[in-house]
Amino acid sequence: MAHITSLFCIALAGLCAGSLINMVTWRLPRMINAVETPGFSLWLPRSHCPLCRHTLAWFDNIPLLSWVMLRGHCRYCQCSIALRYPLTELLSMLLCLALAFLITPGETLLAAWLLGWMLLALLLIDAEFQLLPDLLTLPLLWLGLLFQLCGWLPQVSLEQSVTGAVSGYITLWLLARGYRVLRGTEALGMGDAKLLAALGAWLGWQPLPLVLLLASGGSILWLCFSHLVFRRSLSAPLPFGPGLAIAGLLMFTAANLSATFRTSSFIFQI
């Protein structure tokens, strides 16, 4: 019973985090691009329908459940509510449960949840707006260094964390600078460099080449898939942030697998 209760609490926390991520990914780009009225922030005005601007009641903001009960439509103007909102909440919940299964309960798991939530927000914003806000990438970098000092990231030393942050930024800065000099156009934004620096603070410098390899390979596969399925142009700009976010979270999880999971995997291989 205690195990079921724990899973329920983790799932509920994941759904609530997903709801918060929906709010951040909708509001933050509009704040940066100044497309809303003065006074618009992450917290104000209260949650409202983007079309009719009607303020939503608390029972219209219950993660996942409200979307199902409303059948994907606004209660007041009946406009469709994008499917991405419940999918983000569901993905956040599944992410929390997966990390809880793979990583030993404790401070490292709490850090892993926070890392996963912030990377999910960055992934969604970059995929839609090709933007990696400093309000997310820079705190992610400092949190990596802080958690390392607090002993929450036992797989990484302070020297490796600092070196990872510096080398992550310099690597993509040099690539972007070199491409701009050779071709005269931008290929990578500095948001990508800041995100890789943040991942370096969490992972250390050693995994960064593999992170770049996985992110590049995944981005190329997605480009080919979207071209074949959605007829997306191969020359259209492709955000690199989602690939970095997924690769970084995979490497962090692999480095912090719980002893129980390692043992069961070894037995399964035998």
Side-chain angles (χ1 to χ4, degrees):
M1 181 61 70
H3 182 64
I4 295 176
T5 303
S6 298
L7 290 178
F8 175 79
C9 291
I10 292 172
L12 183 60
L15 287 173
C16 293
S19 181
L20 180 62
I21 290 170
N22 276 328
M23 181 268 290
V24 171
T25 56
W26 190 83
R27 289 175 179 251
L28 188 54
R30 286 163 175 78
M31 290 168 54
I32 295 173
N33 295 325
V35 298
E36 293 287 343
T37 57
F40 183 85
S41 69
L42 288 178
W43 314 111
L44 295 173
R46 288 178 51 193
S47 297
H48 57 275
C49 172
L51 185 61
C52 68
R53 297 287 175 170
H54 196 290
T55 300
L56 302 181
W58 67 267
F59 45 80
D60 291 329
N61 272 322
I62 302 174
L64 199 57
L65 184 60
S66 290
W67 189 90
V68 174
M69 294 177 62
L70 293 171
R71 297 182 180 179
H73 291 82
C74 173
R75 182 187 300 276
Y76 307 100
C77 68
Q78 298 304 309
C79 72
S80 297
I81 302 173
L83 186 60
R84 65 183 293 263
Y85 295 111
L87 288 180
T88 297
E89 292 165 354
L90 182 61
L91 182 57
S92 175
M93 180 190 73
L94 295 176
L95 178 64
C96 286
L97 291 172
L99 291 173
F101 175 71
L102 296 172
I103 298 177
T104 303
E107 294 86 354
T108 303
L109 177 58
L110 295 176
W113 283 336
L114 186 57
L115 174 65
W117 293 331
M118 296 186 73
L119 289 179
L120 179 57
L122 287 166
L123 183 155
L124 294 173
I125 292 174
D126 199 31
E128 183 175 358
F129 299 97
Q130 296 190 21
L131 174 69
L132 291 170
D134 288 352
L135 286 174
L136 291 178
T137 55
L138 297 184
L140 186 63
L141 187 154
W142 291 113
L143 282 173
L145 296 175
L146 177 62
F147 288 161
Q148 199 289 322
L149 288 174
C150 294
W152 288 22
L153 307 177
Q155 303 296 329
V156 185
S157 68
L158 179 59
E159 180 181 356
Q160 292 170 337
S161 185
V162 173
T163 305
V166 174
S167 58
Y169 184 85
I170 290 178
T171 298
L172 289 190
W173 182 87
L174 289 175
L175 286 174
R177 181 70 176 178
Y179 189 90
R180 185 165 63 248
V181 170
L182 293 174
R183 302 295 299 271
T185 58
E186 297 288 344
L188 288 169
M190 288 301 96
D192 296 311
K194 294 170 186 174
L195 177 54
L196 188 61
L199 292 176
W202 285 77
L203 300 171
W205 64 269
Q206 297 94 330
L208 292 186
L210 185 53
V211 169
L212 285 173
L213 180 62
L214 290 174
S216 301
S219 298
I220 292 172
L221 288 176
W222 171 251
L223 178 62
C224 296
F225 175 81
S226 59
H227 174 70
L228 293 174
V229 176
F230 305 112
R231 302 301 177 186
R232 184 181 187 275
S233 174
L234 293 175
S235 61
L238 179 69
F240 193 46
L244 285 175
I246 294 172
L249 186 58
L250 287 175
M251 292 300 297
F252 180 85
T253 305
N256 292 279
L257 286 178
S258 68
T260 302
F261 186 79
R262 291 179 190 272
T263 302
S264 61
S265 300
F266 177 74
I267 295 175
F268 180 76
Q269 290 175 2
I270 294 177

